[in-house]
């Protein structure tokens, strides 16, 4: 008696009653396991379409606003007030360009941060691809920029004159928008080269450090300094720039390690 057949026997059901099942069972077993193909962000058509669209938007903004951006860049690195900027008539084109660049920067940061989480969530068959995480990342980035703008406006209204506060806000918004040209290539590398994630992390840290250095330079170049004022400016910069960045970093690490992953995967 074949006792193995007793141990491996299964109850009759709709599937094993069919002719196709009996033919398949009679075929030789080559002991080659089959597994479902894992989800990869780089092969997602929606992500690829969004990256291509962001590239064309970047190119269009750079082409249409190149003159105005050149004037703003010169004004950013000057220590004296420039009156020539009043002759530049953009008819709202600069504001639209700044907004589009900020959106692309927010999208790029969201892609860099959430790509790994999206791939891990897609490993679970019952969980669909959480594209909404990218939207959450964009919204958080825009809220962070808006809250910092409000904080700057409040602090500058108390301690500095209106002219200096306006130039500081223009510099802050301009440099924040220009980070899109740095974060977008990093997002491309993160999406299509999984083996270079250490380089991606180092590049993001380098861009953030460069951004903070530029903002600190604008602070020193924009506001008049008195004797012993460097220490006060450094404390001001840490309170309105470095401290919010560190808080957002800690919150992001908390959410990615505990809340988002555990709620989606487990």
């Amino acid at each position: 008696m074949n006792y193995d057949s007793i141990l491996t026997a299964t109850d009759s059901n709709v599937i094993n009653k069919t002719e196709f099942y009996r033919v398949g069972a009679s075929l030789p077993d080559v002991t080659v396991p089959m597994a479902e193909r894992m989800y990869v962000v780089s092969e997602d058509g929606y992500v690829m379409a969004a990256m291509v669209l962001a590239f064309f938007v970047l190119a269009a903004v750079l082409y249409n606003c190149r003159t105005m951006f050149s004037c703003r860049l010169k004004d950013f690195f000057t220590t004296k007030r420039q009156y020539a900027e009043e002759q530049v008539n953009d008819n709202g084109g600069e504001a639209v360009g700044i907004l589009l660049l900020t959106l692309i920067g927010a999208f790029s940061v969201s892609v860099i941060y959430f790509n790994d989480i999206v791939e891990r969530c897609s490993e679970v068959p019952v969980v669909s691809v959480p594209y909404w995480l990218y939207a959450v990342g964009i919204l958080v980035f825009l809220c962070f920029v808006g809250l910092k703008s409000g904080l700057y406006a409040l602090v500058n209204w108390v301690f500095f004159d209106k002219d200096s506060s306006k130039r500081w806000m223009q510099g802050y918004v301009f440099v924040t928008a220009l980070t899109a040209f740095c974060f977008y290539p990093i997002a491309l590398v993160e999406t299509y080269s999984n083996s270079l994630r250490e380089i991606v992390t180092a590049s993001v840290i380098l861009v953030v450090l460069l951004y903070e250095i530029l903002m600190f330079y604008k602070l020193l170049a924009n506001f008049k300094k008195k004797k012993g004022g460097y220490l006060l400016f450094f404390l001001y910069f840490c309170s309105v720039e470095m401290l919010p960045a560190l808080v957002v970093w800690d919150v992001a690490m908390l959410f990615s390690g505990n809340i988002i992953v555990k709620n989606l995967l487990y």
Side-chain angles (χ1 to χ4, degrees), residues 186-229:
I186 298 175
L188 286 177
V189 175
E190 161 65 23
T191 303
Y192 297 103
S193 297
N194 292 331
S195 60
L196 301 178
R197 287 186 174 175
E198 293 183 357
I199 298 178
V200 168
T201 303
S203 301
V204 171
I205 295 174
L206 180 63
V207 171
V208 173
L209 288 177
L210 179 61
Y211 173 82
E212 299 296 343
I213 291 172
L214 289 175
M215 294 304 301
F216 189 65
Y217 166 81
K218 184 61 176 176
L219 176 67
L220 297 179
N222 189 54
F223 300 114
K224 296 180 179 179
K225 300 173 288 298
K226 297 181 180 180
K227 186 177 181 179

Side-chain angles (χ1 to χ4, degrees), residues 57-73 88-101 174 177-178 181:
V57 172
L58 275 177
V61 171
L62 183 61
Y63 177 78
N64 294 323
C65 303
R66 60 188 184 278
T67 303
M68 289 174 287
F69 285 173
S70 177
C71 294
R72 293 299 180 192
L73 197 60
V88 179
N89 186 15
D90 62 341
N91 295 323
E94 181 184 3
V96 175
I98 292 293
L99 177 61
L100 291 176
L101 288 181
F174 179 68
L178 288 186
F181 292 102

Side-chain angles (χ1 to χ4, degrees), residues 39-214:
Y39 171 82
V40 181
V41 175
S42 58
E43 298 178 358
D44 193 308
Y46 295 107
V47 175
M48 183 179 67
M51 300 298 288
V52 172
L53 178 62
F55 172 79
F56 283 112
V57 172
L58 275 177
V61 171
L62 183 61
Y63 177 78
N64 294 323
C65 303
R66 60 188 184 278
T67 303
M68 289 174 287
F69 285 173
S70 177
C71 294
R72 293 299 180 192
L73 197 60
K74 292 178 181 178
D75 180 61
F76 184 86
F77 289 101
T78 54
T79 58
K80 297 181 180 179
R81 182 178 177 183
Q82 300 293 318
Y83 295 92
E85 65 178 6
E86 297 175 358
Q87 301 176 1
V88 179
N89 186 15
D90 62 341
N91 295 323
E94 181 184 3
V96 175
I98 292 293
L99 177 61
L100 291 176
L101 288 181
T102 305
L103 287 173
I104 294 174
F107 169 71
S108 301
V109 172
S110 182
V111 167
I112 295 170
Y113 179 74
F114 284 113
N115 266 357
D116 184 54
I117 297 177
V118 169
E119 289 184 349
R120 281 187 287 169
C121 292
S122 301
E123 293 176 359
V124 182
V126 297
V127 178
S128 59
V129 181
Y131 295 110
W132 56 271
L133 286 177
Y134 295 122
V136 170
I138 295 173
L139 182 61
V140 170
F141 185 90
L142 295 179
C143 290
F144 179 68
V145 173
L147 289 175
K148 281 183 63 178
S149 300
L151 180 62
Y152 286 143
L154 177 62
V155 175
N156 293 344
W157 174 73
V158 175
F159 295 101
F160 303 106
D161 59 278
K162 184 178 180 181
D163 232 15
S164 299
S165 300
K166 181 180 178 181
R167 293 198 304 271
W168 168 260
M169 289 298 298
Q170 288 177 346
Y172 163 70
V173 173
F174 179 68
V175 174
T176 302
L178 288 186
T179 56
F181 292 102
C182 298
F183 284 129
Y184 178 74
I186 298 175
L188 286 177
V189 175
E190 161 65 23
T191 303
Y192 297 103
S193 297
N194 292 331
S195 60
L196 301 178
R197 287 186 174 175
E198 293 183 357
I199 298 178
V200 168
T201 303
S203 301
V204 171
I205 295 174
L206 180 63
V207 171
V208 173
L209 288 177
L210 179 61
Y211 173 82
E212 299 296 343
I213 291 172
L214 289 175

Side-chain angles (χ1 to χ4, degrees), residues 14-29:
V14 177
I15 296 177
N16 57 28
K17 284 183 177 180
T18 61
E19 180 182 356
F20 298 103
Y21 182 87
R22 291 193 296 270
V23 172
S26 62
L27 294 177
D29 185 9

Side-chain angles (χ1 to χ4, degrees), residues 219 227-239:
L219 176 67
K227 186 177 181 179
Y230 287 99
L231 178 59
L232 296 177
F233 279 5
F234 181 75
L235 294 176
Y236 164 80
F237 182 77
C238 290
S239 62

